[in-house]
Amino acid sequence: MIRRSPTSRVHAPPARPAPARGAEPGAAWATVCFRPPHPGALPREAGCRGGPHLVVWRTRAAHGPALVRFDALPVTERGCAYGHPSPCLHPPGRLPCDTHLWADADGPAELREQADVLVGRVPRAVAEARRRVRVLLAEHPGCLAAVVPGFGAGCVVGVRRAAGDPWCAGLERGGPRAPVSPQAVASVVHAWVAAGGAPSALRAVVPGCPG
């Protein structure tokens, strides 16, 4: 994770208008907990677009739950404040909690340059998505992971490696009716790798079942 000062700011051009109230955010702090609280205790106001996301990560040998919370950055015509979200207070799970910054891959350069994770919003064919992921990682050296959705319920994920080309593969993200968002997939991948997990071990990040 790239650590930033809670009071740091990046200044956007003065002519850039503020996003409409309730619009999908172009950047947010993401917190991934691999020991989520009981579903009945989930705060409805947390995160954005209806609250935190309960997901299930899968490898060939194991699976487990994770809670992904998004805290949108307040963006105005004067810039974007990087107010760090509240820390997790529960005991650690099998993997440590992870907080990082994601940004829209087609958003303002000021945000993309600060992001730990870049997320494409436009679905692409698999080959084109792979090329897009590789370009994003090549052009943003501070970014650990990039995700581009495919057509349907899959997505292409890329993770930077210390040497050589990035690791790049497709991941399942659930059924076509309500798949996990690319942002949540990207955040789980970042948390997994930051905890020392091999990205190639992951096979899917799918919706969890509360209750």
Side-chain angles (χ1 to χ4, degrees):
M1 183 186 86
I2 301 175
R3 298 188 181 274
R4 299 175 178 80
S5 167
T7 58
S8 62
R9 279 183 175 270
V10 57
H11 294 287
R16 189 188 308 282
R21 187 177 183 85
E24 185 74 17
W29 286 108
T31 301
V32 179
C33 303
F34 288 100
R35 184 189 174 103
H38 186 276
L42 298 184
R44 293 183 179 274
E45 70 277 7
C48 61
R49 293 278 176 166
H53 304 259
L54 186 64
V55 302
V56 173
W57 54 266
R58 292 177 180 165
T59 69
R60 286 185 176 179
H63 67 276
L67 186 72
V68 185
R69 189 184 83 226
F70 294 117
D71 293 285
L73 301 180
V75 181
T76 71
E77 65 278 1
R78 293 185 295 176
C80 182
Y82 288 93
H84 205 281
S86 301
C88 300
L89 301 178
H90 56 76
R94 68 173 70 188
L95 295 171
C97 297
D98 175 60
T99 299
H100 55 272
L101 183 70
W102 79 263
D104 186 341
D106 297 308
E110 297 90 345
L111 294 175
R112 288 187 280 112
E113 290 169 1
Q114 296 291 324
D116 304 298
V117 171
L118 289 171
V119 180
R121 303 292 190 95
V122 180
R124 300 170 185 258
V126 173
E128 186 180 358
R130 285 177 178 267
R131 286 194 294 271
R132 176 65 169 151
V133 163
R134 292 178 183 275
V135 168
L136 289 172
L137 292 174
E139 293 182 347
H140 302 86
C143 174
L144 175 65
V147 172
V148 174
F151 296 112
C155 61
V156 173
V157 180
V159 176
R160 185 181 306 283
R161 295 192 284 196
D165 292 334
W167 171 84
C168 191
L171 287 186
E172 177 191 350
R173 59 188 182 101
R177 293 185 61 184
V180 172
S181 69
Q183 295 96 312
V185 173
S187 292
V188 171
V189 170
H190 184 283
W192 179 271
V193 174
S200 58
L202 287 172
R203 292 291 181 269
V205 179
V206 298
C209 297

